[in-house]
Amino acid sequence: MLIPSYAHDGVLNGVQWINSKGEKQFYSGSDRTNASFHTIQGDSSKGRIFVEGYANGSKIHQATGRTIIVCFDAGMLPKVAKAIGKADDVVFADNDIRAKDSSILLDNFNSYGTGHRKAHISKLDFYLPVLRGADACDMSENEIIELLSKEPISKLPILDIYKINSNLHTSKRLDELFKA
């Protein structure tokens, strides 16, 4: 399968090849430094959905009929969001979280997967599959629809580890961080 990638101005800037085993590579000369993406056209009245890879995008498009922006990998999410993102767009990132529950606050972001970190950096609202290690391809169409019908995880009133991490030192206790 050949998937064209485009720059924000619509110029073709690369081609990704996916073989029958699911292995991916870009053809020589493809631009992987700028905001490269592929659009799966659909309904964009509720905003577009930015995803990491083509398989995830196809699965989400099949479930929702919405326009999908395939960024090809998590690292490209913030670049593409900055170049073409709109207020009503969202990210559906892979849930790459690797940490054990007890270490998640103290692991200097190493516990948060790349998809989660890059979705946060994109500044768009984002969703993650509920199961650790899952992506959209691990979900049924009904699970995808149900997840997207809820508040994005980025809007939930949960501990914002990204803001707190810079203030967290091993000598501080967590309750000190929450004093008024």
Side-chain angles (χ1 to χ4, degrees):
M1 177 185 298
L2 299 175
I3 319 258
S5 69
Y6 298 91
H8 72 283
D9 58 5
V11 174
L12 178 71
N13 66 0
V15 176
Q16 183 184 57
W17 175 68
I18 304 174
N19 69 20
S20 60
K21 296 178 185 176
E23 299 166 333
K24 302 171 256 184
Q25 81 178 45
F26 277 87
Y27 277 97
S28 177
S30 294
D31 181 359
R32 297 296 300 136
T33 59
N34 294 307
S36 301
F37 63 94
H38 176 81
T39 303
I40 301 173
Q41 294 294 338
D43 179 8
S44 55
S45 64
K46 294 180 183 177
R48 301 167 299 176
I49 302 173
F50 288 60
V51 299
E52 295 180 36
Y54 187 80
N56 286 324
S58 292
K59 180 82 179 247
I60 295 167
H61 175 73
Q62 185 175 344
T64 67
R66 290 175 61 182
T67 298
I68 306 296
I69 305 297
V70 178
C71 300
F72 296 105
D73 62 49
M76 198 60 69
L77 279 168
K79 292 179 182 181
V80 176
K82 183 177 180 181
I84 66 166
K86 298 177 183 174
D88 58 347
D89 293 336
V90 297
V91 172
F92 194 117
D94 296 357
N95 186 343
D96 310 314
I97 296 175
R98 303 182 297 281
K100 296 178 183 174
D101 293 332
S102 62
S103 68
I104 205 157
L105 291 176
L106 304 174
D107 204 14
N108 277 338
F109 301 113
N110 292 332
S111 61
Y112 285 105
T114 303
H116 189 172
R117 287 193 313 268
K118 298 299 183 176
H120 180 79
I121 293 167
S122 78
K123 299 191 180 202
L124 295 175
D125 287 334
F126 63 90
Y127 294 87
L128 296 172
V130 175
L131 295 175
R132 188 178 295 163
D135 63 23
C137 291
D138 299 312
M139 301 172 71
S140 71
E141 289 183 18
N142 287 337
E143 290 170 327
I144 291 169
I145 292 167
E146 181 182 347
L147 181 64
L148 290 170
S149 71
K150 298 178 180 179
E151 277 293 304
I153 191 170
S154 55
K155 288 193 176 208
L156 295 177
I158 59 174
L159 179 67
D160 187 346
I161 192 66
Y162 298 102
K163 292 177 185 170
I164 291 174
N165 190 55
S166 61
N167 298 323
L168 185 62
H169 302 286
T170 54
S171 61
K172 285 189 176 181
R173 292 180 40 192
L174 283 177
D175 57 353
E176 293 176 21
L177 295 173
F178 298 104
K179 289 183 181 175

